[in-house]
Amino acid sequence: MEGEVVIGPHMYEPDASDEEVNDVAGNVEIVTSVRLNVDCLREWCVCFNCQTMSTARECVCCAEIPEVVAKIAEAHMTNVKCITDHPGMQAVCLDPWGLQVAWFAYRQQYRGNAFEGPMHAKYRHIAYRQLVRWCFGYLGRDTRVVLPACAVSCIRAHFPPQNEEPCLFKGFQPAAHQQLPHLN
């Protein structure tokens, strides 16, 4: 309507100065360098099971993701400090028989678009999907989340590439249209 005033979020907040913008950019660079530095692993990993991943975005501890922290709390055990120590991790993400069943369901759902490859690669792929479903529930098509470095490392250790394959992992890949938040 003509003359109607539309109020938007943060509409009346002052714009950031160039100095404030540069400070934020500098902090992002510092966080990135800390997360990728093996010697600084304990500055961001509190579960003591993480490994440095190939990008700073993937260097996230299970204790930094609220949905994963909630899943850890469901264990009602004081000695579970990491999602990889949760009693459900083995059954949901690491058990080959359970992953086989999950693979058949995945293949049925995606038919011709289902991931194909060697069995250990399928198990890794399905284990990551199972971890997402277990911790986050249903996300919707093309919605992706960064998984904790400890869980990714655990899954990779259980289903490593075979000797003849190069040991290069794709890592996190957002959907083409997905905007992701920056690291804190």
Side-chain angles (χ1 to χ4, degrees):
M1 293 185 158
E2 192 174 326
E4 186 176 319
V5 176
V6 178
I7 299 175
H10 312 290
M11 184 174 174
Y12 297 108
E13 295 291 324
D15 291 334
S17 68
D18 289 341
E19 183 178 309
E20 290 171 320
V21 170
N22 290 337
D23 284 348
V24 169
N27 287 340
V28 168
E29 287 176 23
I30 290 168
V31 167
T32 299
S33 66
V34 165
R35 290 196 180 248
L36 291 175
N37 185 341
V38 176
D39 296 331
C40 298
L41 184 64
R42 295 297 164 235
E43 290 187 31
W44 59 268
C45 172
V46 297
C47 73
F48 302 105
N49 290 319
C50 294
Q51 293 180 11
T52 302
M53 298 281 117
S54 57
T55 66
R57 175 176 276 155
E58 295 172 286
C59 294
V60 178
C61 181
C62 61
E64 295 180 281
I65 304 172
E67 294 85 353
V68 179
V69 171
K71 186 58 65 179
I72 293 168
E74 285 178 13
H76 300 295
M77 301 165 71
T78 57
N79 62 335
V80 176
K81 303 289 185 219
C82 177
I83 193 66
T84 62
D85 297 328
H86 190 292
M89 180 75 175
Q90 174 65 37
V92 175
C93 303
L94 303 176
D95 179 55
W97 307 115
L99 292 176
Q100 237 178 35
V101 172
W103 166 254
F104 292 135
Y106 167 76
R107 191 174 70 185
Q108 180 180 4
Q109 179 182 0
Y110 287 93
R111 294 180 182 91
N113 295 324
F115 173 83
E116 289 294 340
M119 189 55 71
H120 57 87
K122 288 179 186 177
Y123 282 166
R124 271 195 314 273
H125 181 78
I126 294 302
Y128 298 144
R129 291 176 57 84
Q130 290 287 93
L131 179 64
V132 169
R133 181 60 61 98
W134 183 44
C135 293
F136 296 88
Y138 178 73
L139 294 178
R141 183 180 178 166
D142 290 334
T143 302
R144 303 212 171 59
V145 293
V146 176
L147 299 177
C150 47
V152 171
S153 298
C154 180
I155 291 168
R156 287 178 179 176
H158 274 77
F159 306 108
Q162 300 302 309
N163 293 338
E164 68 274 2
E165 294 179 57
C167 193
L168 298 174
F169 296 104
K170 287 183 182 179
F172 178 77
Q173 298 177 346
H177 65 280
Q178 187 177 6
Q179 292 291 323
L180 297 169
H182 291 286
L183 293 171
N184 295 344

